[in-house]
Amino acid sequence: MNKKYLIFYRKAYWGLAMHRSMWVCILGFVSVSAMASDAQVVDVEFKYARGGQWQVSTLVSHANTSWTDFIDRWRVVSDDGDVLGEKFLNPEQVALGDFDKTVLMVDIPHAITTVYVEAHDSVKGWGKERIKVDLSRHDGPRFRVRR
């Protein structure tokens, strides 16, 4: 093979390899950024009030990338998927940072011992990660229960 063509071939190959690795880095950054903006419940506390009512306090997290992409609510769901309670957050709360610790009163029948708490993103919908709360225990991963 001619030396001139070999040098051209190496430069073209190197340029293509650099181009590919640049796209891999860009796509990796975009996917990590997208995952970081999912709505997530960080911590939950259930306090038994009376008559089957529970006071639920949550700490939620979201990147809040814009006025159109923010955490707008969270909810308590039974094993069967029934929504037991839902707390809506307005954009002003989110902008001020007041959404960090929000409280909701929820009626939970005595027969239900396990519930889930999940957060909602105004763009992506319900977050993939939710907290499973066993109401018969005092605490667990990212939750506490007070009676």
Side-chain angles (χ1 to χ4, degrees), residues 19-31:
H19 183 73
R20 282 185 185 163
S21 61
M22 178 184 72
W23 278 109
V24 168
C25 289
I26 289 171
L27 291 174
F29 175 75
V30 168
S31 63

Side-chain angles (χ1 to χ4, degrees), residues 86-101:
E86 192 166 12
K87 175 74 172 186
F88 288 86
L89 306 170
N90 62 33
E92 289 81 19
Q93 280 179 301
V94 174
L96 295 172
D98 293 340
F99 68 98
D100 286 346
K101 198 73 164 178

Side-chain angles (χ1 to χ4, degrees), residues 1-11:
M1 194 173 212
N2 190 338
K3 189 174 183 179
K4 186 165 71 172
Y5 291 114
L6 187 58
I7 291 172
F8 175 76
Y9 177 76
R10 283 184 180 165
K11 285 183 179 178

Side-chain angles (χ1 to χ4, degrees), residues 48-116:
Y48 185 75
R50 64 179 174 270
Q53 275 209 323
W54 292 82
Q55 178 182 327
V56 184
S57 303
T58 64
L59 177 64
V60 292
S61 173
H62 185 269
N64 291 338
T65 56
S66 71
W67 280 100
T68 58
D69 184 10
F70 58 93
I71 186 166
D72 60 354
R73 63 187 160 197
W74 58 268
R75 68 183 180 184
V76 179
V77 183
S78 70
D79 262 338
D80 300 332
D82 296 330
V83 177
L84 303 172
E86 192 166 12
K87 175 74 172 186
F88 288 86
L89 306 170
N90 62 33
E92 289 81 19
Q93 280 179 301
V94 174
L96 295 172
D98 293 340
F99 68 98
D100 286 346
K101 198 73 164 178
T102 57
V103 178
L104 174 68
M105 294 302 288
V106 180
D107 288 321
I108 301 176
H110 291 290
I112 295 177
T113 58
T114 303
V115 295
Y116 298 88

